[in-house]
Amino acid sequence: MSSKNVKENIKKIMNSKKILRWTKLANLDQYHHLTINKAIELVNDPKYFDSKTRILNLSETHFEVIDEFCFHSLDIKEVIFPLNLVIIAKYAFANNDLEKVNLTKSNKLEIIEDYSFAYNKINDFEFSNSVIVLTNKALFANPCYNNKFKN
């Protein structure tokens, strides 16, 4: 997904939610913005992804935005998220083997978009109180979706 589309999504969310504390667009450069191309590099680097345990460790990275489809369909079992994370875009972690997601240490996180964790096995989903936008479809087709988000 291009940086232009991410910027448009952020603008839409910002326009609909005037209370966002994060008032500027993310630094959409290679240092702060995790694109799908960079995600492929990380998954192939044992420093970040253990192919045996299927754990993705982004804790020591500087990413603020995880772009659409970055880690889609990679059989990831666990993710350790960046501390400076602000946005998780659509389908970023969809269709994996996640059972538990803990975003409590990502205390700058404000936006979790539609389907960002869809089609996993998530029973336990924790996030910090910094989250302002958690769309009702962010956890679509997970066991916890029926308990928390289905109307």
Side-chain angles (χ1 to χ4, degrees):
M1 188 54 51
S2 72
S3 293
K4 180 181 177 187
N5 290 342
V6 172
K7 285 181 185 178
E8 288 173 6
N9 285 344
I10 295 168
K11 284 181 184 177
K12 285 179 192 174
I13 291 170
M14 288 176 64
N15 288 336
S16 67
K17 302 286 183 184
K18 300 295 182 195
I19 59 171
L20 283 179
R21 291 181 298 273
W22 191 54
T23 57
K24 297 180 182 178
L25 292 180
N27 294 318
L28 295 178
D29 56 27
Q30 291 181 356
Y31 186 79
H32 296 95
H33 182 207
L34 179 56
T35 62
I36 196 162
N37 291 334
K38 183 63 177 176
I40 291 167
E41 287 178 30
L42 294 177
V43 168
N44 289 314
D45 185 340
K47 177 181 176 185
Y48 299 103
F49 185 65
D50 185 328
S51 59
K52 290 179 183 172
T53 62
R54 312 300 294 170
I55 295 173
L56 177 65
N57 186 346
L58 301 173
S59 64
E60 295 183 17
T61 66
H62 40 265
F63 298 114
E64 296 175 6
V65 176
I66 297 178
D67 207 348
E68 296 179 12
F69 295 96
C70 271
F71 298 104
H72 187 279
S73 301
L74 295 175
D75 295 323
I76 297 169
K77 291 190 180 283
E78 182 181 339
V79 180
I80 303 167
F81 293 91
L83 299 178
N84 292 324
L85 188 59
V86 178
I87 296 173
I88 301 173
K90 294 178 183 177
Y91 297 98
F93 293 95
N95 199 32
N96 281 289
D97 266 343
L98 298 172
E99 293 180 10
K100 181 178 180 179
V101 173
N102 186 337
L103 293 159
T104 57
K105 292 184 180 177
S106 298
N107 58 14
K108 295 180 182 177
L109 182 63
E110 292 189 351
I111 301 170
I112 303 172
E113 291 188 344
D114 281 344
Y115 306 104
S116 53
F117 292 97
Y119 304 103
N120 279 281
K121 301 172 185 172
I122 301 170
N123 283 307
D124 187 4
F125 187 82
E126 297 177 79
F127 54 94
S128 70
N129 60 5
S130 64
V131 174
I132 297 169
V133 178
L134 172 62
T135 65
N136 65 347
K137 293 183 180 177
L139 293 162
F140 183 77
N142 279 284
C144 67
Y145 177 78
N146 291 333
N147 299 334
K148 293 185 180 182
F149 296 101
K150 194 171 183 181
N151 293 336

